[in-house]
Structures are given as structure tokens and as C-alpha cells.
Amino acid sequence: MDSKSTRGLATRAIHGSSGRDAFGSPHTPIYNTTTFAFRSTADLLDVVEGNKPGSLYTRYGLNPSIVALEETLAGLEGAQQAWAFCSGMAAESALFLTHGREGVVCIGDAYGGTLELLSSQLPLLGIRTHLILGSEIDRLDALLAAGAKLVFCETPGNPTLELIDIPALAARVHAHGARLAVDNTFASPVNQRPLALGADFVVHSATKYLGGHSDLTAGTLMGSKELLAPVWNWRKNLGSMIAPETASLLSRSLRSLVVRVRQQNATAQLIAEAMARHRGITRVMYPGLPDFPGHDLARRQMDGYGGLLTIEVSGGGIAATRVADRLRLFALAPSLGGAESLVTQPCTTSHHDLSPEERRRRGISDAMLRLSVGLEDPADLIADLEQALR
Ligand code: PLP
């Protein structure tokens, strides 16, 4: 183990890349260039043929701003390799097209875009996909025995925060010679590191906690060098590369990731406890509450309980809409992980396109509001919820 991988997470977030520039900048600046010039054809061929590391062409990812970001990302998840992408969906698409062609099984709640890609679009290419609920996990062995080679899950899931036991799932998937990919967007590497728990891939919408300021769109896929090597050509030729400006902005954001997420964990815990005591709330879903069904599992596989929680408002869907519309600090917006607190009503946003029966089957009620806790003062956020509930 090299000295870099034994450093703490906050240190790795700041000193995770070896990139410095010739002028002594403490971090890699923006290399806002599409291509790089060589002194000779022999030098150019050395890079093209992979004999020497070097910068070549930005869409290939061979740009110092992008390489520096990828080194830091890999260090945070304990991955051998990270590839950066222009969005979380671009990272997922490259994963499915490279490693999911023999069939993909998605377990539990996943982001709506992921569900649409898997259920409506990949089948157009002849890729067999199966969407099963966490409660239907008994179907997994048969699907893997029938040939599916990639299992995908999101934990905590959206919007119920349902948790999946990553080590147990990884063992089951590996017994069939298949691979496990975990979308770690909700937890962030501060709270959960799936590769260390047995997963083969980690995917992130870096648009969320990694970016952390609601001002960039990006994604990343991480894993072993061997498994990520074939993804490189797909990213290159699908053209789903992150821009150098965005890569630099994301590296900037990562330097504060640990303090941001730990604060969001602490504030979310306070809000969850306040909402659990509130008469206008019938249920609070948050892994940090001792009576949450996944609490013991969260204690085992997570280092923090996260900045997302879901509350169920008494009075049903209409009452929940009224509360969402009356919140002042929580902005009504479909994203998460930023410095600003956000609220969504899943039945009108992420899960709007599912039929009411399918929402019910997935345990998603109209009365649910999902809160993404930002970096405001906890007392102000609780006061905002209390005035809206009144
Ligand atoms: N995964 C999760 C858990 C998400 O919430 C999202 C977006 O909301 C995505 C993936 C897709 O990410 P992006 O919007 O960066 O493409």
C-alpha cells in the first residue's frame, strides 16, 4: 500500500493528484485546450502508443485537468482507476454498454433516468434488462444463472432511503461470475465506499455531493484498472468526456467534500429527529434514526447516515404539495447534494412517470417529501419546515 492510500479521506481530497504546473500552482489549473503539441513524431507516437504518459487530446481524457481530477476521485473511493464523464448518465451508459451487454439486473430503487435507460432504451439495442425490487431479491439467482453479468443498485435508494447489504449482494453476484456496480451518489465516498465492501464498480452523479454547489454536471465510474480499461474507448467514441473547466471546478469542490458532507450528515440527523417528534409528520425515513429498518445495516456499512431524508406529511398528497410550496429556504428543485437545501415531492418529480400502482408497489406515497439538506444553519431549516407544516 503506498503512502497516499493510507492518508485520511480529507487529505486525499486535497492532495489526491500528483499534478502541479510549471509555475508552482498548488493545484492543477484549467488546461483549456483541445489538443497538445509535440516536439517530434517520435514523441507523439510514444503517447499515442501508450509507451509514455502524456497529454494528447481532450476528448480522450488526456488533459492534465482531467487526469488530476481522476486521480483524486480514485483516491476517495479507494479505486485503482476513475474515469470522469460529462454527466452521471454518461458514466452509467458507458458502464452498461461495456459490461452490461449480456444482461443487467437492477435491484431496488434507482434514479428515474437509470430506470428509463434500462427499461426503455437498452432493450432497443438487444440488451436484456431486469428491474427487481429489494423485496424480490430471491429472483436474482435465476436471472444470473440465465446469463446476466452485471448487477446494478443504488444504496441508500431514492426516495425511501432503503439500504442494500453490499457485502452480501457482492458475494451472491460473484458466486455467479457476475459483477456488481453501486451508484454511490446519495452516500458519497465520505459515508460509504462500496469497492471496499466488495463491489466491482462505483458510479456517481458528480453533479450532486461531489460537485456540491449545484453549479456543475459531471459523472464518474471507478473500479479496477482491468475492468475500466475497456470503458476508455466507449467514453472516447461516445464523446462523453468532461470539459477541462468542469474537471477543474469539480476538483475545487472535492477539496471541501469531507467537511461539507459531515456537516450535512449532522444537520440531517437534527432535522430527522425534529421531524420524528412533529405531530404533522406520520413517518421519517432516515438511516440515522434507531427505528429506521436499515439502521443496523447503515451502522455496519456506512460511516455517516447522509444528508437526505424523506418525510411523510399527515393529510396525504395535497397536504404534502402545500408544504413543499410553502417552504422558503428549501427550494423546490429536483436535485440534491448542494449547499442549498432542496425539497422534492417524488410523485411529482423523480417518480412522476410511474403509474400510481407502480409507485405503491415501490412503497412511494404521494405524501412523501424528500429533503436534501444543505449547509444552512440547522435551526433555520427546522424553523422553515415548522412554518410550512403549520
Ligand atoms: N444517479 C443518481 C442517484 C441521481 O440522483 C442522478 C441524477 O439525479 C443520476 C445518477 C444521473 O446523474 P446526472 O444528472 O449527473 O446525469
Side-chain angles (χ1 to χ4, degrees):
M1 199 182 264
D2 62 38
S3 66
K4 267 191 175 174
S5 58
T6 59
R7 289 175 178 162
L9 211 59
T11 310
R12 275 183 266 162
I14 296 163
H15 298 283
S17 87
S18 46
R20 294 268 162 88
D21 76 345
F23 301 98
S25 161
H27 52 260
T28 307
I30 306 174
Y31 281 83
N32 205 4
T33 176
T34 56
T35 190
F36 294 83
F38 292 83
R39 268 185 304 216
S40 69
T41 302
D43 285 351
L44 181 143
L45 282 176
D46 268 344
V47 176
V48 169
E49 291 172 359
N51 304 324
K52 267 194 198 160
S55 300
L56 178 65
Y57 192 64
T58 291
R59 178 171 52 77
Y60 294 5
L62 299 176
N63 173 305
S65 307
I66 297 170
V67 172
L69 167 67
E70 291 174 339
E71 285 175 355
T72 305
L73 287 168
L76 287 171
E77 286 281 6
Q80 284 178 352
Q81 189 76 64
W83 298 140
F85 289 84
C86 60
S87 70
M89 288 312 298
E92 287 186 27
S93 304
L95 167 69
F96 294 140
L97 290 171
T98 312
H99 289 285
R101 294 197 299 274
E102 291 161 275
V104 183
V105 183
C106 177
I107 301 181
D109 290 323
Y111 168 61
T114 307
L115 296 178
E116 188 183 4
L117 177 66
L118 287 171
S119 60
S120 307
Q121 292 171 289
L122 292 184
L124 299 176
L125 305 177
I127 297 176
R128 282 200 287 194
T129 60
H130 314 270
L131 276 50
I132 62 176
L133 300 183
S135 55
E136 297 169 330
I137 201 153
D138 286 347
R139 292 177 55 198
L140 180 62
D141 293 305
L143 292 170
L144 293 173
K149 283 278 176 274
L150 183 68
V151 174
F152 184 92
C153 74
E154 204 177 301
T155 178
N158 183 24
T160 59
L161 285 307
E162 182 185 57
L163 300 193
I164 290 176
D165 186 329
I166 298 174
L169 181 59
R172 199 158 172 175
V173 169
H174 292 158
H176 289 270
R179 309 278 186 198
L180 174 64
V182 176
D183 183 334
N184 202 29
T185 300
F186 271 30
S188 93
V190 179
N191 291 329
Q192 179 173 272
R193 288 169 299 286
L195 297 176
L197 296 167
D200 302 285
F201 300 99
V202 168
V203 62
H204 276 274
S205 168
T207 313
K208 311 299 183 323
Y209 286 101
L210 301 183
H213 297 73
S214 311
D215 59 2
L216 65 84
T217 301
T220 178
L221 176 68
M222 304 183 219
S224 68
K225 279 191 193 297
E226 188 194 346
L227 290 175
L228 284 221
V231 182
W232 197 83
N233 274 322
W234 280 98
R235 178 181 66 164
K236 178 173 78 124
N237 294 328
L238 289 170
S240 47
M241 181 51 60
I242 191 169
E245 297 94 326
T246 311
S248 177
L249 191 60
L250 181 50
S251 290
R252 189 285 318 263
S253 297
L254 291 178
R255 295 198 271 279
S256 60
L257 176 72
V258 175
V259 283
R260 282 190 281 107
V261 170
R262 286 190 184 146
Q263 182 60 49
Q264 283 162 316
N265 290 345
T267 305
Q269 181 77 37
L270 290 173
I271 294 177
E273 286 167 8
M275 290 299 101
R277 288 191 299 269
H278 198 287
R279 283 206 334 246
I281 298 294
T282 51
R283 190 153 66 118
V284 181
M285 283 143 274
Y286 184 63
L289 292 180
D291 61 355
F292 181 73
H295 180 67
D296 289 340
L297 176 56
R299 286 174 59 125
R300 284 203 304 278
Q301 72 179 19
M302 300 180 79
D303 290 339
Y305 301 120
L308 287 159
L309 66 142
T310 295
I311 55 177
E312 214 164 40
V313 176
S314 74
I318 292 170
T321 303
R322 227 182 290 141
V323 172
D325 288 345
R326 289 192 182 171
L327 284 164
R328 296 286 164 262
L329 281 176
F330 284 88
L332 184 60
S335 193
L336 59 112
E340 315 80 3
S341 293
L342 304 178
V343 58
T344 58
Q345 188 175 7
C347 71
T348 65
T349 49
S350 52
H351 296 75
H352 181 253
D353 291 348
L354 299 182
S355 65
E357 296 74 44
E358 181 58 18
R359 280 201 295 270
R360 234 185 326 269
R361 198 173 83 88
R362 291 179 170 267
I364 299 163
S365 76
D366 291 358
M368 282 182 180
L369 294 178
R370 190 195 72 191
L371 305 176
S372 168
V373 173
L375 293 170
E376 301 91 341
D377 289 295
D380 291 332
L381 294 175
I382 292 169
D384 191 32
L385 284 161
E386 281 172 348
Q387 67 78 23
L389 285 163
R390 259 197 310 276

